[in-house]
Amino acid sequence: MTGIRAKQKEKTRRALINAALSQLSPQTAFSSLSLREVAREANIAPTSFYRHFQNMDELGLTLVDEGGLTLRQLLRQGRQRLADGGSVIRISVDIFMDFISNNRSVFRLLLQEHSGTSKEFRLAIAREIHHFKSELADYLHNERRLHEDLARLQADAMVRVMFSIGADALDLPASDKAALIEDTILELRMIARGATALQTSFNATKGEAGAVKKRAESAPKGA
């Protein structure tokens, strides 16, 4: 019986999450949803809502956490596919665009509440964005051998571009998405090549400094 009750509870919890997502739109932000509306959409009594979430804010934060985790997992899987060949930028952009197409309400929530009135939401979304940047920076540093500072800056620039492009893609006609994807890939490659050029310059400068130091140390004293 305990197992059956747990499954039913999770089913109802998922129904509340889906009910909230189904009501989000360009005109309807999460902050404007009411508990009663969500409960009615999920076909449960408003009082039953509190068996699953303390309040609407907790429900919204759950949506943010689940959405961010899902996207990060997809991008990790995409980077693992590089063993079979392909461009990490193209694969990542394709995954990101697919996520937006399949999770419009979640991505809309991230965009709307990122600068919304709720401090809790702003902090939660900022944490998710930080996770994206941190994981990408680690990949660039460990796998692409980019200097740590450059990896951090490249990841920051790339994530900013991706989220900005994602906002454009939300309501873009399907016929225009292919061009947007190609433009995005080109923009990200420009960022990557800029970082690589800086790395080359950094290594050259470091090498020159090391050579000067070596010559100074080997010079006869008093010369």
Side-chain angles (χ1 to χ4, degrees), residues 62-201:
T62 298
L63 299 181
V64 171
D65 290 342
E66 287 193 0
L69 178 60
T70 298
L71 180 53
R72 291 203 310 278
Q73 288 174 336
L74 289 172
L75 290 172
R76 282 187 214 124
Q77 291 168 9
R79 289 193 287 270
Q80 290 169 0
R81 279 162 46 191
L82 289 177
D84 299 325
S87 160
V88 65
I89 288 178
R90 182 171 291 279
I91 289 173
S92 298
V93 170
D94 286 343
I95 289 173
F96 191 77
M97 290 301 185
D98 284 345
F99 174 82
I100 293 173
S101 296
N102 297 323
N103 301 272
R104 290 178 179 275
S105 294
V106 172
F107 193 71
R108 201 181 299 281
L109 172 68
L110 295 176
L111 293 177
Q112 290 173 336
E113 301 302 334
H114 183 230
S115 57
T117 58
S118 169
K119 183 178 180 180
E120 276 190 301
F121 274 98
R122 293 198 306 272
L123 290 176
I125 294 170
R127 282 194 299 271
E128 289 302 320
I129 293 175
H130 174 74
H131 289 323
F132 292 130
K133 293 177 180 178
S134 180
E135 289 192 8
L136 179 55
D138 286 345
Y139 170 79
L140 293 170
H141 176 60
N142 296 325
E143 301 297 328
R144 296 301 169 109
R145 301 294 183 240
L146 201 61
H147 185 274
E148 191 171 0
D149 288 338
L150 290 176
R152 175 179 56 80
L153 292 171
Q154 181 178 333
D156 180 79
M158 284 183 153
V159 170
R160 289 178 187 275
V161 167
M162 291 289 283
F163 271 79
S164 176
I165 295 297
D168 294 337
L170 262 179
D171 301 305
L172 197 67
S175 57
D176 296 332
K177 283 189 178 178
L180 179 64
I181 288 173
E182 293 305 318
D183 286 348
T184 303
I185 290 170
L186 181 57
E187 290 176 14
L188 295 178
R189 283 177 176 164
M190 290 168 66
I191 293 171
R193 288 174 184 175
T196 300
L198 286 171
Q199 171 103 327
T200 301
S201 175

Side-chain angles (χ1 to χ4, degrees), residues 195-212:
T196 300
L198 286 171
Q199 171 103 327
T200 301
S201 175
F202 175 82
N203 289 339
T205 302
K206 187 177 179 181
E208 289 172 4
V212 170

